Amino acid sequence: MKSALSAAYPAARFRRFKKMPATRALVRENTLSVDDLIWPVFLCDGENVEQPVVSMPGVVRHSVDRVVEAAKQAYDLGIPAICLFPYTDPSLKTADCAEAWNPENLSNRATRAIKKAVPDLAIMTDVALDPYNINGHDGFVVDGEILNDETVEALVKQTLSQAEAGADIIGPSDMMDGRIRAMREALENEGHTNVMIMSYAAKYASGFYGPFRDAVGAAGALKGDKSTYQMDPANSNEALRLVARDLSEGADMVMVKPGMPYLDICRLVKDQFGAPTFAYQVSGEYAMLNAAGQNGWLDLDKVMMESLLAFKRAGCDGILTYFAPKAAKVLAKL
Ligand code: PBG
């Protein structure tokens, strides 16, 4: 960046343009809009069910009929996309994870129902085996090891079942090597040429995912951690190599996850590639801000909007956030 010419005080007074809301607005460099929001939602079986997720105040698991209502509300608020995460009944979890590509699984049923009711809302789905795996891992586990190539074959089946159900954006969150190429090839071969892939390219092995694992029921099942496939929080060059790899294999958009502790990575990725770049403000970030808000230690609306704007400043095109409807209401001054 060129260093801007600045006069010395008192010729330059940075307080001049801060003097009134109108001039502060004129010089504002970044803005948050409802167009920037993707809303992750949790699904559960049953009818007319909304189960609160204890560690995520205000977040519920919705049965399919209720998620359709939630999707309509999101669409009416102007939110462009919703992202589906199923809570899978423990009786459906197996070592071969076959429920992941069952055309009638919860995620696929919800996709079809939402598409029918609100066709213009973009639907993103999650590709990874953890909601279906008795081991709680994103890949197949054999003798304590996560198998890469066998997992990729399963992820391809899962991808195709989601595309057939009507998903607009496939979100592989598994971090296996080679999955983007395999998924893209399969989508092209099966005629799903306009289905997008948003790769969880720089996904870190993070403690901030705790509440999510409760929400999808993977916490109890998980043995060990995910450090053999998710990224080391100490690394940033590796994030750029992963993003380069995933774009070259056919990802349309890339994601950095978690969000707030990794804003430096968002900026590096945007500057290096200029590709559509998203951040996931994850469950632990949501829980943390809400907990402080509930205690009266922070003004929740204020820190919510500030944290979301920070992603725009860091170069993101959009944010996956559980705050999406709440933030959309603030933006619409409702
Ligand atoms: C797993 C997955 C995770 C999240 C999205 N997909 C958790 C994990 O990797 O264990 C986390 C989202 C959040 O914390 O909000 N495939």
Side-chain angles (χ1 to χ4, degrees):
M1 193 176 85
K2 286 191 200 114
S3 63
L5 185 65
S6 178
Y9 168 85
R13 289 182 187 266
F14 278 81
R15 292 189 58 197
R16 277 188 205 118
F17 55 66
K18 290 184 171 45
K19 143 183 145 132
M20 59 204 282
T23 52
R24 290 200 293 272
L26 281 176
V27 300
R28 186 159 298 131
E29 298 176 39
N30 294 285
T31 50
L32 178 73
S33 137
V34 70
D35 294 339
D36 303 322
L37 304 176
I38 300 177
W39 185 29
V41 296
F42 299 111
L43 308 169
C44 65
D45 268 318
E47 219 170 292
N48 204 18
V49 183
E50 287 194 346
Q51 293 170 343
V53 178
V54 177
S55 50
M56 300 178 72
V59 171
V60 299
R61 302 182 189 118
H62 314 255
S63 54
V64 172
D65 55 325
R66 296 301 281 263
V67 85
V68 169
E69 293 312 309
K72 282 185 193 154
Q73 283 163 17
Y75 183 73
D76 288 343
L77 285 166
I79 294 171
I82 192 169
C83 179
L84 308 180
F85 291 101
Y87 170 93
T88 305
D89 191 272
S91 69
L92 295 172
K93 295 187 189 201
T94 55
D96 71 2
C97 307
E99 183 65 9
W101 51 93
N102 176 357
E104 292 304 320
N105 71 20
L106 190 51
S107 173
N108 290 334
R109 278 185 280 130
T111 299
R112 285 193 294 266
I114 296 169
K115 264 292 144 198
K116 200 167 159 206
V118 228
D120 293 336
L121 181 70
I123 300 182
M124 175 165 163
T125 48
D126 183 55
V127 167
L129 301 181
D130 54 320
Y132 310 99
N133 196 344
I134 39 169
N135 298 292
H137 275 288
D138 293 19
F140 290 132
V141 185
V142 172
D143 297 333
E145 273 200 41
I146 285 90
L147 302 182
N148 192 86
D149 300 7
E150 293 78 354
T151 299
V152 169
E153 284 176 32
L155 299 174
V156 166
K157 290 193 255 181
Q158 188 179 16
T159 299
L160 290 176
S161 89
Q162 293 174 354
E164 272 146 34
D168 301 290
I169 306 171
I170 306 288
S173 67
D174 56 281
M175 292 297 277
M176 296 299 122
D177 287 314
R179 88 265 209 224
I180 304 297
R181 183 187 308 282
M183 291 166 58
R184 175 56 73 207
E185 250 176 46
L187 288 168
E188 286 290 321
N189 290 340
E190 297 301 318
H192 300 294
T193 50
N194 288 327
V195 171
M196 289 157 268
I197 298 177
M198 182 188 293
S199 168
Y200 289 60
K203 177 173 177 180
Y204 288 85
S206 173
F208 287 99
Y209 305 149
F212 173 96
R213 291 179 191 164
D214 292 337
V216 299
L222 184 62
K223 295 176 193 77
D225 65 21
K226 300 192 176 185
S227 305
T228 70
Y229 44 106
Q230 298 180 347
M231 280 185 67
D232 183 337
N235 294 354
S236 54
N237 289 329
E238 186 189 1
L240 296 178
R241 297 175 69 209
L242 283 164
V243 169
R245 193 265 316 260
D246 286 2
L247 288 171
S248 78
E249 291 188 5
D252 304 282
M253 305 176 257
V254 293
M255 190 203 293
V256 174
K257 178 181 176 192
M260 284 154 33
Y262 296 88
L263 291 177
D264 57 326
I265 307 298
C266 298
R267 171 50 66 196
L268 286 171
V269 167
K270 190 61 181 182
D271 285 352
Q272 180 102 9
F273 300 100
T277 303
F278 292 78
Y280 197 143
Q281 184 180 49
V282 300
S283 57
E285 302 176 62
Y286 177 87
M288 192 161 77
L289 297 180
N290 271 284
Q294 285 185 342
N295 273 299
W297 296 339
L298 291 174
D299 175 336
L300 182 60
D301 277 11
K302 199 156 196 273
V303 293
M304 168 181 78
M305 298 311 279
E306 184 179 332
S307 66
L308 293 171
L309 180 62
F311 291 108
K312 297 299 298 294
R313 199 188 58 241
C316 292
D317 296 282
I319 309 115
L320 289 92
T321 176
Y322 303 97
F323 285 123
K326 194 171 163 63
K329 284 180 196 155
V330 172
L331 288 167
K333 302 194 168 65
L334 288 179

